[in-house]
Amino acid sequence: MLHNYNLIINSPLEQFEVNSLISVIAPILGYINITLSNLGLYSIIILFLILSLHIISNNENKILPSKWSIAIESIFTTINTMVREQLGKEIYLPFIYSLFFFILISNLIGNIPYSYTITTSVIVTIGFSFTILTGVTILGLYIHRLQFFSYFVPSGTPLALVPLLVLIETVSYLARALSLGIRLFANMVAGHSLLKILSTFLYQMFSSSFIIAIFTLIPFAFFLALCGLEVAVSIIQAYVFVLLVISYIKDAIYLH
């Protein structure tokens, strides 16, 4: 019994560790160590789930849409409206839609007990934000050429303040590569850590005595409410992430 207890009661941070599941040394270009981690495994699972959801939601020639179809079409309509209103071009829709679904499914899978949340890996979230900022910068340079650098000089700025404001705007612009990813990372880590700590506490309370277990039902109800809140946070964070990406693309297109 003590051995099982130690398996359940552990550090809240252990759920965020990237662990190697399979490691193979392949004789390719010398000897290359090919490793499949829990991060890679869950990325594959998420990709499979996204494809499966869209295949299931395909109406084909049915007159009445299924519940899955209605849900997917509602999400698509919401993302499409955001892109058209903010950017005015649907050319960016596939990227925004794919990004939203990947983050959404990643966050929701993390709410399943003993699963792994890839958005709690800082290398994933920072990798997303750094890659997006790089792409947005290239897009701005492609559209505006050298005029893109006027973005760092607000209109009507006195000449004496130009160097200082350019420095401030540049730092602010580059900080997006960190802030976008850290926002998602911090929110997911904080929520999952809180649930892990509370579940550990409740487990200890339920395991102590019958009377204490009865009184533990009240905080357990609050714990279930927090689980529902964490699901809502998972959806909101995916929405906020793509909303900020759209605003960055808009800045690059219109130099706002």
Side-chain angles (χ1 to χ4, degrees):
M1 178 64 69
L2 181 60
H3 179 67
N4 294 333
Y5 178 83
N6 290 332
L7 285 177
I8 297 176
I9 307 301
N10 48 21
S11 171
L13 299 180
E14 288 185 9
Q15 59 182 317
F16 309 126
E17 294 180 355
V18 178
N19 300 314
S20 175
L21 303 178
I22 301 174
S23 182
V24 178
I25 299 179
I28 303 174
L29 299 176
Y31 286 92
I32 300 177
N33 188 2
I34 302 175
T35 303
L36 177 64
S37 64
N38 53 350
L39 176 60
L41 176 62
Y42 274 88
S43 298
I44 296 172
I45 293 174
I46 290 166
L47 178 60
F48 175 78
L49 288 176
I50 293 174
L51 294 176
S52 300
L53 283 174
H54 285 79
I55 292 174
I56 293 173
S57 63
N58 187 8
N59 272 332
E60 295 180 350
N61 295 323
K62 297 178 182 179
I63 298 176
L64 295 178
S66 63
K67 294 181 179 179
W68 289 109
S69 178
I70 294 174
I72 297 297
E73 288 179 2
S74 300
I75 295 174
F76 177 82
T77 302
T78 301
I79 301 298
N80 187 30
T81 302
M82 290 169 53
V83 172
R84 283 191 291 105
E85 289 182 352
Q86 296 294 323
L87 304 179
K89 299 178 181 179
E90 295 186 356
I91 188 175
Y92 306 102
L93 178 60
F95 168 68
I96 299 297
Y97 181 78
S98 302
L99 183 64
F100 174 80
F101 245 100
F102 186 84
I103 296 177
L104 175 64
I105 300 301
S106 301
N107 292 347
L108 292 177
I109 284 182
N111 294 305
I112 301 175
Y114 301 103
S115 64
Y116 181 76
T117 313
I118 67 173
T119 46
T120 58
S121 176
V122 69
I123 192 64
V124 173
T125 56
I126 295 298
F128 269 142
S129 59
F130 181 80
T131 304
I132 289 170
L133 182 66
T134 302
V136 167
T137 304
I138 294 174
L139 177 65
L141 290 171
Y142 175 78
I143 295 175
H144 303 285
R145 301 294 192 275
L146 294 178
Q147 188 182 357
F148 173 75
F149 295 101
S150 65
Y151 175 81
F152 301 98
V153 183
S155 59
T157 302
L159 186 60
L161 296 178
V162 167
L164 178 60
L165 288 179
V166 167
L167 177 61
I168 294 175
E169 291 293 333
T170 302
V171 173
S172 176
Y173 184 81
L174 295 177
R176 294 178 174 183
L178 294 176
S179 62
L180 183 63
I182 289 178
R183 181 183 290 104
L184 176 61
F185 164 78
N187 279 280
M188 300 311 299
V189 167
H192 284 57
S193 298
L194 177 61
L195 291 181
K196 181 65 176 180
I197 293 171
L198 291 178
S199 62
T200 301
F201 172 74
L202 290 173
Y203 178 83
Q204 293 174 339
M205 297 294 289
F206 277 122
S207 303
S208 57
S209 66
F210 179 77
I211 297 178
I212 295 179
I214 294 298
F215 286 102
T216 308
L217 292 175
I218 297 177
F220 180 71
F222 287 100
F223 174 76
L224 293 178
L226 285 176
C227 291
L229 179 62
E230 188 63 20
V231 172
V233 169
S234 300
I235 300 173
I236 293 172
Q237 286 303 315
Y239 177 81
V240 170
F241 192 92
V242 297
L243 187 64
L244 290 174
V245 171
I246 290 175
S247 69
Y248 295 164
I249 296 175
K250 183 179 179 181
D251 290 342
I253 295 175
Y254 302 106
L255 295 181
H256 286 170

